[in-house]
Amino acid sequence: MTAIPRTVRLAAGLVAAAPSALTPALAWAAPTDPPPKKVVDGPDLAAGARNAPGAAAISDLINTIGFYAIIACLIGLLLSGLILVIGPRLGFDRASTVGKIGIFAALGGAFLIGISATLVNFFYNAGA
């Protein structure tokens, strides 16, 4: 009796399973009822943003503040890295700890700045 090599058995199994794996499943969803009407609608923030006086200036101001905050995080990251590397060599025994804390603070600040709009939109839509 000859033993069938493992690779041949694996290939035969794949060939046998291919027709069922490649056939699209025909799953039809049952029709659902339309969502019930709301008693009170939330505020239409998009219309308010289009019609509010100074909305474009406020949007530009927020984007500018975000830009400068990211630049500040980058500068903080670079300075903390320098403190981490150079500080102990100059004789400052706690410089490595301060450098590590500064790196994590700069990265955390950049993360919060980057995710802030997503978080606000998520929680607004969760409450709507």
Side-chain angles (χ1 to χ4, degrees):
M1 179 171 190
T2 61
I4 300 174
R6 183 175 180 208
T7 56
V8 172
R9 285 184 292 167
L10 180 62
L14 288 175
V15 168
S20 63
L22 297 176
T23 305
L26 299 176
W28 300 97
T32 58
D33 294 331
K37 296 207 178 229
K38 295 180 182 178
V39 176
V40 177
D41 289 331
D44 187 10
L45 294 181
R50 286 189 303 267
N51 299 330
I58 291 174
S59 178
D60 289 341
L61 178 67
I62 290 172
N63 289 335
T64 303
I65 291 172
F67 170 75
Y68 284 125
I70 289 292
I71 296 298
C73 288
L74 178 64
I75 291 171
L77 181 68
L78 293 174
L79 289 177
S80 297
L82 284 173
I83 290 171
L84 178 68
V85 172
I86 295 174
R89 285 158 182 79
L90 295 176
F92 301 116
D93 51 345
R94 303 213 189 252
S96 63
T97 304
V98 172
K100 290 175 190 175
I101 291 172
I103 287 173
F104 284 118
L107 292 176
F111 175 76
L112 288 176
I113 292 165
I115 200 170
S116 62
T118 305
L119 281 176
V120 169
N121 287 329
F122 172 75
F123 283 109
Y124 173 74
N125 291 329

